[in-house]
Amino acid sequence: MMLKIKRVPTVVSNYQKEEAEEGARPAAGCGRNCLRSCCLPVNNDPPVDFLDSLLLGEWEERMQRGLFRYDVTACETKVIPGKYGFIAQLNEGRHLKKRPTEFRVDKVLQPFDVNKFNFTKVGQEEVLFQFEANENDEVQFFPNAPIDTENSPSVVAINVSPIEYGHVLLIPRVLDCLAQRIDRGSFLLALYMAVEAGNPYFRLGYNSLGAFATINHLHFQAYYLATPFPIERAPSKKITTTNGGVNISDILNYPVRGLVFEGGKTLEDLANVVSDSCICLQENNIPYNVLIADSGKRVFLFPQCYAEKQALGEVSSELLDTQVNPAVWEISGHMVLKRKEDYEEASEENAWRLLAEVSLSEVRFQEVKELIFEAICCKIEEDKDSFEESMTSQSHEDLDGINGSLTCMVPVLIYLLMASSSTFSTWTSNGSICASKASNNIAEFICNYPNGNFRPTIHSMTTSASADISLSWISSNEKEINWKGGKSSLKNGVKCSALDFGTKPSFLKGNKFHLEDVIEAQQFDRDTLSAIFDVALEMEKIEKNSAGSQILKGYLMATLFYEPSTRTRLSFESAMKRLGGEVLTTENAREFSSAAKGETLEDTIRTVEGYSDIIVMRHFESGAAKRAAVTARIPVINAGDGPGQHPTQALLDMYTIQREIGKLDGINVGLVGDLANGRTVRSLAYLLAKYEDVKIYFVSPEVVKMKDDIKDYLTSRGIEWEESADLKEVASKCDVVYQTRIQRERFGERTDLYEEARGKYIVDLDVLNVMQKHAVVMHPLPRLDEITVDVDVDPRAAYFRQAKNGLYIRMALLKLLLLGW
């Protein structure tokens, strides 16, 4: 089903006034020129001609006609300094002229009240166009469509109290007077609007009653903001994948706890899972906010409690004095401030403090998640026939057969601790045990892993066997069973005592990689790292002219390098070609691409994505990769962004450490050289922080010391670090000495500082002699004189092996981003 867009005829503005002006005597209707039957023309008079463009053109025309209560383009806006990039806007007009909240915060579901303001009372001139489902599977535009009063049109109208440029309202079936509550159809319509807009800077938001919706008439909001919302940058950790292919993740390292939904076999799959989650919250009287981002590809859901705390007197007077009502835009990181002093004093700390009050507690959030997953599980399990069909069609090579019928289904959450090479990973999965109560059965645990389906065999439904792994089950009745080789049973009488696993489950080919881009090291958790390393190991085994060497045949990779590179660019290009793909390349794009003519990065990305399937980019500006990823509809890989990050280098570094040392937990690592500007060491520090009992030593000249943001991050993760001026002493303690060059290009005209730092710390035979026998020397290359050439012959010199590992890691990433596991 596609959409068709219709235009609504417009007449003279009434500015959404509550009452007709005193003394006004209309020729017909209520005097408000509203959308109800009293004012709609019976004979469908000819509409106003269509303007040049649809949404923004219409919106700007309404601005010129003075339909807005203030000029939002005059509002001051700034990005607050800090790593999250919160946006602050001073909007005194919205504070003074916006309609106040009318509805009690203790009821998320309230009946529609015709006596209160609703969108049938808006002026027709405030409506931009109808937005309707089309049965012809194509997008159509009708410039002269009358208002479809019989079918109650869905319309897009201006928000007369705008927050940002192009601020509009999507009002599903406006004449049906639906209360402010999400249903499947309305949410699918909102997703379609995001997809049709096709602009990552255009986001839709929703506020429930109790979460600062001011009107109890179903509507979504949307506007343009030409910068990423902080929530869009927040890392996430996948929880599960639904039968419809929708990935559900927890939001991490953000002040408001919430869930992220993305993927799905169809747009309806994504819409249904999100809307069912919202319906669950509504029915349980839990206020919430929703953000639709990435042109409909990602949806953020935030249960919240600020209004409840406010009513109970649990919010500080300092926060109340700001008069900020944290709805979807504020929660997403766009802080709409009403007082000049708050705008001038805006800080990341202040934004965080406000949003932390919005968030549910960890305990309450887990309770809410259980409600949501129970609701979604019910929806999924309704399709029982297809579920059983998928079971019976599954190959049972590891089973002797299924004895007896599968008579019960027990939802469980299972945690597995399994060996993987020399490291350990904890896996979490949701699923169901299907088994009868007979003691001689063999059953299966059907579970969704972060990137694929995995079916371990459950042998013996008695309590006589023992297990060789440690795990705990939490059943649907919340009874926890800790099991370490002993006897255990589920409450409903199904007894399980032994699981037969071979090795760690592999991610199955064809399942979608849960990352759309590779931008920064914070995206990766231990499980993902371990799985990527397994894929890289497979890449090492691919031989020329084998089937594996053609898996990317027909794919094109574009390499955009605004800074010089040898190893990174060539290894990516080699990786693509070794897998059968082709390469479009530009070297020194800063000078020899359209950037030299003044073309913006965003325009370059939009152009290049039309020629290729994936973009690998190196840029001289920190944060450029994020901008590219927000703009592009195809995967983007950060090959280094100025002094920011170099995540693929960090991945190959970790892969090398595991291959060379044999473990990633319990190691000591010395980071040496230019730590202030070294994007490689910054990214590596982020990844090392994901492991246990790691200690990091920083050895660098004073002018290029490691920056505080990395130190603070390591401290927050419980990672021990130490600064030292003695390279030999550090080398004697470390498993890895990671040397970097002093980067002349980062000093600009301060050649004096460069000369001061250069040559102070050199890895030579003297340093090598104090190192442990198992330890290694690593370097991201190129080197100058910071490692002497006589070190090269020592088996502990791992930097050229390290460079070769970059090929396998990049082959793995290309395969995962383009094909999946």
Side-chain angles (χ1 to χ4, degrees):
M1 179 180 68
M2 296 295 289
L3 300 176
K4 62 182 177 181
I5 301 167
K6 296 179 180 179
R7 176 82 191 291
V8 175
T10 60
V11 289
V12 180
S13 171
N14 65 12
Y15 299 80
Q16 289 190 7
K17 292 183 179 178
E18 293 295 334
E19 303 294 341
E21 292 185 6
E22 187 176 355
R25 187 73 179 171
C30 66
R32 308 160 70 89
N33 190 37
C34 66
L35 290 176
R36 293 181 291 184
S37 59
C38 57
C39 292
L40 290 176
V42 176
N43 59 353
N44 291 327
D45 292 334
V48 176
D49 290 337
F50 179 64
L51 299 176
D52 292 334
S53 61
L54 191 57
L55 195 152
L56 286 177
E58 294 284 294
W59 191 89
E60 289 174 349
E61 191 268 348
R62 302 310 195 273
M63 183 170 62
Q64 293 169 7
R65 289 166 58 181
L67 301 190
F68 296 100
R69 293 176 172 174
Y70 51 85
D71 182 7
V72 71
T73 63
C75 294
E76 295 181 66
T77 299
K78 64 182 179 182
V79 176
I80 300 173
K83 62 181 180 179
Y84 289 92
F86 289 105
I87 305 114
Q89 181 193 87
L90 177 60
N91 196 326
E92 295 171 300
R94 185 172 175 83
H95 166 45
L96 297 174
K97 300 177 181 179
K98 181 180 181 294
R99 180 176 291 103
T101 302
E102 302 177 4
F103 297 92
R104 301 191 308 274
V105 299
D106 59 337
K107 295 289 183 181
V108 174
L109 296 183
Q110 299 182 42
F112 183 89
D113 188 343
V114 69
N115 296 315
K116 291 184 180 291
F117 177 82
N118 61 76
F119 294 117
T120 66
K121 300 179 181 181
V122 306
Q124 293 177 37
E125 74 284 2
E126 296 167 15
V127 179
L128 305 184
F129 48 82
Q130 296 181 49
F131 194 65
E132 298 294 341
N134 185 15
E135 298 176 356
N136 298 326
D137 291 332
E138 61 182 20
V139 178
Q140 295 176 293
F141 177 73
F142 298 90
N144 297 306
I147 297 176
D148 188 357
T149 55
E150 293 185 1
N151 296 313
S152 185
S154 299
V155 300
V156 175
I158 62 172
N159 187 328
V160 295
S161 301
I163 291 177
E164 257 300 342
Y165 195 76
H167 194 165
V168 295
L169 306 171
L170 171 64
I171 311 166
R173 294 155 47 203
V174 59
L175 301 180
D176 286 350
C177 297
L178 305 172
Q180 182 71 347
R181 64 185 69 173
I182 281 178
D183 57 55
R184 281 189 166 190
S186 65
F187 193 78
L188 179 60
L189 187 73
L191 273 188
Y192 271 127
M193 185 174 181
V195 172
E196 293 294 335
N199 189 328
Y201 294 137
F202 182 74
R203 292 90 163 183
L204 283 89
Y206 174 88
N207 303 313
S208 77
L209 297 184
F212 300 103
T214 60
I215 299 170
N216 188 19
H217 189 169
L218 180 58
H219 66 286
F220 297 81
Q221 302 185 52
Y223 62 69
Y224 292 84
L225 186 68
T227 189
F229 278 5
I231 187 59
E232 295 171 334
R233 299 172 171 176
S236 60
K237 181 177 179 61
K238 184 180 291 185
I239 304 171
T240 189
T241 302
T242 69
N243 286 353
V246 178
N247 297 325
I248 308 176
S249 306
D250 274 323
I251 299 169
L252 306 177
N253 301 332
Y254 197 74
V256 184
R257 294 180 176 90
L259 298 173
V260 189
F261 301 80
E262 53 192 328
K265 298 174 183 176
T266 66
L267 201 63
E268 287 87 346
D269 290 325
L270 179 60
N272 289 345
V273 171
V274 177
S275 55
D276 289 347
S277 301
C278 294
I279 292 168
C280 170
L281 295 177
Q282 291 165 177
E283 292 175 345
N284 286 278
N285 199 33
I286 300 169
Y288 66 92
N289 308 89
V290 178
L291 179 74
I292 301 174
D294 290 349
S295 300
K297 296 176 184 175
R298 281 199 298 170
V299 181
F300 298 86
L301 175 61
F302 306 97
Q304 71 141 295
C305 60
Y306 189 87
E308 180 184 354
K309 286 183 178 180
Q310 194 175 23
L312 295 173
E314 297 177 356
V315 179
S316 70
S317 58
E318 181 183 1
L319 292 179
L320 292 176
D321 287 345
T322 67
Q323 302 180 60
V324 174
N325 293 330
V328 60
W329 307 119
E330 288 79 9
I331 291 173
S332 301
H334 189 191
M335 316 303 294
V336 183
L337 304 173
K338 303 173 181 180
R339 303 187 306 179
K340 192 170 184 64
E341 58 265 35
D342 294 326
Y343 180 78
E344 291 174 345
E345 298 172 3
S347 66
E348 188 170 271
E349 180 183 358
N350 289 342
W352 193 282
R353 185 164 61 248
L354 170 66
L355 295 183
E357 292 293 333
V358 176
S359 181
L360 302 183
S361 68
E362 179 63 32
V363 173
R364 178 57 177 156
F365 183 60
Q366 293 301 323
E367 294 172 351
V368 170
K369 280 202 299 185
E370 289 177 12
L371 289 172
I372 290 173
F373 281 109
E374 182 178 355
I376 294 173
C377 183
C378 290
K379 298 295 182 185
I380 294 172
E381 290 179 5
E382 285 176 0
D383 192 8
K384 185 176 180 181
D385 292 340
S386 63
F387 179 82
E388 291 180 348
E389 181 181 350
S390 68
M391 284 190 58
T392 56
S393 63
Q394 174 73 20
S395 172
H396 295 279
E397 295 176 358
D398 296 329
L399 301 177
D400 295 327
I402 296 181
N403 300 318
S405 60
L406 303 178
T407 60
C408 66
M409 183 178 293
V410 186
V412 297
L413 177 65
I414 186 167
Y415 297 89
L416 309 176
L417 186 64
M418 289 183 275
S420 171
S421 302
S422 57
T423 61
F424 286 88
S425 297
T426 301
W427 296 79
T428 305
S429 184
N430 292 302
S432 301
I433 289 178
C434 303
S436 73
K437 296 182 182 181
S439 62
N440 61 345
N441 276 349
I442 298 174
E444 285 188 332
F445 177 75
I446 313 302
C447 59
N448 294 319
Y449 263 69
N451 298 289
N453 294 321
F454 160 60
R455 291 179 176 232
T457 305
I458 299 179
H459 289 289
S460 177
M461 305 305 291
T462 69
T463 58
S464 60
S466 62
D468 57 358
I469 59 174
S470 300
L471 61 142
S472 66
W473 289 1
I474 302 175
S475 69
S476 56
N477 54 26
E478 299 184 355
K479 179 179 179 181
E480 183 172 338
I481 303 170
N482 295 316
W483 180 18
K484 295 186 178 181
K487 297 181 180 181
S488 299
S489 64
L490 293 177
K491 199 170 186 177
N492 63 2
V494 178
K495 297 182 179 181
C496 305
S497 60
L499 300 185
D500 180 20
F501 295 104
T503 59
K504 188 184 72 176
S506 61
F507 292 94
L508 301 182
K509 180 179 179 181
N511 290 305
K512 186 177 182 295
F513 189 40
H514 64 288
L515 300 177
E516 293 188 354
D517 309 280
V518 174
I519 304 300
E520 57 188 5
Q522 296 95 305
Q523 293 176 272
F524 302 97
D525 56 29
R526 288 186 57 147
D527 297 338
T528 303
L529 290 172
S530 179
I532 290 173
F533 296 162
D534 286 347
V535 177
L537 195 59
E538 294 174 9
M539 296 297 106
E540 290 191 35
K541 301 172 184 176
I542 290 180
E543 299 178 357
K544 291 181 181 180
N545 302 319
S546 66
S549 68
Q550 297 300 310
I551 61 175
L552 295 186
K553 185 176 182 179
Y555 287 91
L556 284 170
M557 178 184 74
T559 54
L560 285 174
F561 277 69
Y562 291 80
E563 285 189 327
S565 170
T566 302
R567 274 151 297 277
T568 302
R569 184 171 66 86
L570 291 181
S571 66
F572 266 115
E573 294 180 2
S574 175
M576 190 66 175
K577 288 180 177 292
R578 283 175 179 265
L579 294 177
E582 297 294 332
V583 176
L584 305 172
T585 185
T586 175
E587 187 176 6
N588 197 0
R590 188 175 188 176
E591 182 177 350
F592 296 115
S593 74
S594 292
K597 303 174 184 177
E599 183 178 53
T600 65
L601 175 63
E602 284 75 13
D603 282 357
T604 299
I605 294 299
R606 291 189 185 100
T607 301
V608 172
E609 73 175 354
Y611 307 147
S612 56
D613 301 295
I614 190 168
I615 296 173
V616 178
M617 187 183 79
R618 169 168 290 186
H619 204 275
F620 50 87
E621 290 182 358
S622 178
K626 287 185 180 179
R627 289 168 52 200
V630 168
T631 303
R633 298 190 181 105
I634 63 175
V636 173
I637 299 179
N638 181 8
D641 56 344
Q645 285 209 39
H646 197 346
T648 65
Q649 179 70 47
L651 289 173
L652 74 90
D653 291 340
M654 296 293 285
Y655 184 61
T656 300
I657 294 172
Q658 179 169 290
R659 297 297 305 275
E660 298 284 335
I661 304 299
K663 63 179 181 177
L664 291 169
D665 289 310
I667 61 174
N668 295 334
V669 179
L671 302 181
V672 187
D674 190 345
L675 306 186
N677 302 305
R679 56 196 174 202
T680 61
V681 289
R682 291 174 59 83
S683 297
L684 181 58
Y686 279 121
L687 293 189
L688 286 170
K690 301 180 185 301
Y691 292 85
E692 302 295 330
D693 300 322
V694 172
K695 182 170 182 178
I696 300 177
Y697 295 88
F698 299 130
V699 183
S700 66
E702 187 68 25
V703 294
V704 287
K705 292 176 63 176
M706 180 60 78
K707 294 179 180 178
D708 289 340
D709 63 329
I710 295 295
K711 297 175 185 175
D712 293 343
Y713 179 82
L714 294 174
T715 300
S716 71
R717 298 298 298 265
I719 299 297
E720 186 179 357
W721 58 269
E722 178 182 320
E723 290 183 306
S724 175
D726 191 332
L727 176 56
K728 282 189 177 181
E729 181 183 2
V730 168
S732 67
K733 302 175 181 178
C734 286
D735 303 284
V736 178
V737 174
Y738 192 97
Q739 175 70 289
T740 64
R741 69 184 174 90
I742 305 298
Q743 302 179 69
R744 171 67 180 85
E745 62 271 24
R746 307 296 179 205
F747 286 83
E749 296 180 357
R750 294 300 307 271
T751 56
D752 57 327
L753 294 179
Y754 170 69
E755 294 298 334
E756 177 186 337
R758 180 185 176 190
K760 189 166 185 179
Y761 294 106
I762 297 176
V763 174
D764 54 18
L765 292 179
D766 289 340
V767 172
L768 207 61
N769 288 336
V770 302
M771 290 177 60
Q772 303 173 70
K773 295 299 182 184
H774 73 278
V776 292
V777 178
M778 295 173 60
H779 192 300
L781 303 177
R783 68 169 168 185
L784 299 179
D785 54 3
E786 62 273 5
I787 299 179
T788 58
V789 294
D790 50 5
V791 174
D792 295 351
V793 296
D794 193 289
R796 289 171 292 182
Y799 28 91
F800 293 116
R801 298 192 295 274
Q802 176 187 355
K804 189 171 184 179
N805 287 335
L807 171 65
Y808 306 127
I809 283 291
R810 286 158 181 149
M811 289 171 70
L813 290 176
L814 292 173
K815 187 254 185 188
L816 292 171
L817 287 167
L818 291 172
L819 299 181
W821 297 101

